[in-house]
Short mmCIF file of all heavy atoms in Angstrom, two decimals:
data_model
loop_
_atom_site.label_atom_id
_atom_site.label_comp_id
_atom_site.label_asym_id
_atom_site.label_seq_id
_atom_site.Cartn_x
_atom_site.Cartn_y
_atom_site.Cartn_z
N CYS A 426 7.37 18.90 -16.45
CA CYS A 426 7.48 17.54 -15.96
C CYS A 426 8.86 16.99 -16.30
O CYS A 426 9.70 17.67 -16.89
CB CYS A 426 6.38 16.67 -16.56
SG CYS A 426 6.53 16.44 -18.36
N GLY A 428 9.67 14.82 -18.52
CA GLY A 428 9.86 14.82 -19.97
C GLY A 428 10.51 13.56 -20.51
O GLY A 428 10.80 12.61 -19.77
N SER A 429 10.77 13.57 -21.80
CA SER A 429 11.24 12.37 -22.49
C SER A 429 12.63 11.93 -22.06
O SER A 429 13.01 10.78 -22.29
CB SER A 429 11.23 12.61 -24.01
OG SER A 429 12.05 13.72 -24.34
N LYS A 434 6.63 8.03 -21.24
CA LYS A 434 5.40 8.62 -21.79
C LYS A 434 5.62 10.03 -22.33
O LYS A 434 4.77 10.57 -23.04
CB LYS A 434 4.30 8.64 -20.73
CG LYS A 434 3.79 7.25 -20.34
CD LYS A 434 2.64 7.35 -19.35
CE LYS A 434 1.99 6.00 -19.12
NZ LYS A 434 2.91 5.01 -18.54
N GLY A 435 6.73 10.66 -21.98
CA GLY A 435 6.99 12.02 -22.42
C GLY A 435 7.33 12.09 -23.90
O GLY A 435 8.19 11.36 -24.38
N LEU A 436 6.68 12.99 -24.61
CA LEU A 436 6.90 13.12 -26.05
C LEU A 436 7.94 14.19 -26.38
O LEU A 436 8.30 14.35 -27.55
CB LEU A 436 5.58 13.46 -26.76
CG LEU A 436 4.48 12.40 -26.65
CD1 LEU A 436 3.22 12.86 -27.38
CD2 LEU A 436 4.96 11.06 -27.19
N ALA A 437 8.39 14.95 -25.38
CA ALA A 437 9.37 16.01 -25.62
C ALA A 437 10.22 16.18 -24.37
O ALA A 437 9.82 15.81 -23.26
CB ALA A 437 8.68 17.32 -25.99
N THR A 439 10.83 18.27 -21.94
CA THR A 439 10.17 19.46 -21.42
C THR A 439 11.10 20.33 -20.57
O THR A 439 10.96 21.55 -20.56
CB THR A 439 8.94 19.07 -20.60
OG1 THR A 439 9.33 18.09 -19.62
CG2 THR A 439 7.85 18.48 -21.49
N HIS A 457 2.90 25.94 -18.07
CA HIS A 457 3.13 24.54 -17.74
C HIS A 457 3.46 23.77 -19.01
O HIS A 457 2.66 23.74 -19.94
CB HIS A 457 1.87 23.96 -17.07
CG HIS A 457 1.91 22.49 -16.85
ND1 HIS A 457 0.77 21.72 -16.83
CD2 HIS A 457 2.94 21.64 -16.62
CE1 HIS A 457 1.09 20.46 -16.60
NE2 HIS A 457 2.39 20.38 -16.48
N LEU A 458 4.65 23.18 -19.06
CA LEU A 458 5.04 22.32 -20.17
C LEU A 458 4.90 20.87 -19.72
O LEU A 458 5.53 20.45 -18.74
CB LEU A 458 6.48 22.57 -20.60
CG LEU A 458 6.77 23.90 -21.33
CD1 LEU A 458 6.98 25.03 -20.32
CD2 LEU A 458 8.00 23.76 -22.23
N THR A 459 4.05 20.12 -20.41
CA THR A 459 3.83 18.73 -20.03
C THR A 459 4.10 17.81 -21.21
O THR A 459 3.73 18.10 -22.35
CB THR A 459 2.40 18.51 -19.50
OG1 THR A 459 2.22 17.15 -19.14
CG2 THR A 459 1.33 18.93 -20.50
N GLY A 460 4.77 16.71 -20.92
CA GLY A 460 5.15 15.78 -21.97
C GLY A 460 4.03 14.88 -22.44
O GLY A 460 4.15 14.23 -23.48
N CYS A 461 2.92 14.83 -21.66
CA CYS A 461 1.78 14.02 -22.07
C CYS A 461 0.53 14.54 -21.37
O CYS A 461 0.59 15.48 -20.58
CB CYS A 461 2.02 12.54 -21.74
SG CYS A 461 1.92 12.16 -19.98
N GLN A 462 -0.59 13.91 -21.63
CA GLN A 462 -1.88 14.36 -21.09
C GLN A 462 -1.98 14.22 -19.57
O GLN A 462 -2.83 14.85 -18.95
CB GLN A 462 -3.02 13.57 -21.74
CG GLN A 462 -3.29 13.90 -23.20
CD GLN A 462 -4.17 15.13 -23.36
OE1 GLN A 462 -4.62 15.71 -22.39
NE2 GLN A 462 -4.39 15.53 -24.61
N ARG A 463 -1.13 13.42 -18.96
CA ARG A 463 -1.25 13.18 -17.51
C ARG A 463 -0.94 14.42 -16.68
O ARG A 463 -1.41 14.55 -15.56
CB ARG A 463 -0.35 12.03 -17.09
CG ARG A 463 -0.73 10.68 -17.68
CD ARG A 463 0.17 9.58 -17.13
NE ARG A 463 1.58 9.89 -17.34
CZ ARG A 463 2.59 9.32 -16.67
NH1 ARG A 463 2.31 8.43 -15.73
NH2 ARG A 463 3.84 9.64 -16.94
N ALA A 464 -0.13 15.31 -17.21
CA ALA A 464 0.18 16.58 -16.53
C ALA A 464 0.65 16.37 -15.09
O ALA A 464 0.13 16.96 -14.15
CB ALA A 464 -1.03 17.51 -16.57
N LEU A 475 1.44 24.09 -22.39
CA LEU A 475 2.04 23.59 -23.63
C LEU A 475 2.09 22.07 -23.53
O LEU A 475 2.81 21.51 -22.70
CB LEU A 475 3.45 24.17 -23.84
CG LEU A 475 3.52 25.67 -24.09
CD1 LEU A 475 4.97 26.14 -24.16
CD2 LEU A 475 2.79 26.04 -25.38
N LEU A 476 1.30 21.40 -24.35
CA LEU A 476 1.20 19.95 -24.35
C LEU A 476 2.03 19.39 -25.49
O LEU A 476 1.78 19.68 -26.67
CB LEU A 476 -0.26 19.52 -24.50
CG LEU A 476 -0.52 18.03 -24.71
CD1 LEU A 476 -0.08 17.21 -23.50
CD2 LEU A 476 -2.00 17.78 -25.05
N ALA A 477 3.02 18.58 -25.15
CA ALA A 477 3.91 18.03 -26.17
C ALA A 477 3.16 17.11 -27.12
O ALA A 477 2.36 16.28 -26.70
CB ALA A 477 5.06 17.29 -25.52
N VAL A 478 3.45 17.27 -28.41
CA VAL A 478 2.89 16.38 -29.43
C VAL A 478 3.99 15.66 -30.20
O VAL A 478 3.73 14.67 -30.88
CB VAL A 478 1.98 17.16 -30.41
CG1 VAL A 478 0.74 17.68 -29.69
CG2 VAL A 478 2.73 18.31 -31.07
N TYR A 483 4.60 21.56 -29.55
CA TYR A 483 3.57 21.60 -28.52
C TYR A 483 2.28 22.20 -29.05
O TYR A 483 2.30 23.12 -29.88
CB TYR A 483 4.04 22.46 -27.33
CG TYR A 483 5.22 21.91 -26.59
CD1 TYR A 483 6.52 22.09 -27.08
CD2 TYR A 483 5.07 21.21 -25.40
CE1 TYR A 483 7.62 21.58 -26.41
CE2 TYR A 483 6.16 20.71 -24.71
CZ TYR A 483 7.43 20.89 -25.23
OH TYR A 483 8.51 20.39 -24.55
#
Side-chain angles (χ1 to χ4, degrees):
C426 66
S429 58
K434 292 183 171 62
L436 298 180
T439 52
H457 172 209
L458 289 83
T459 180
C461 73
Q462 289 277 357
R463 295 184 305 161
L475 293 175
L476 172 64
V478 294
Y483 295 81

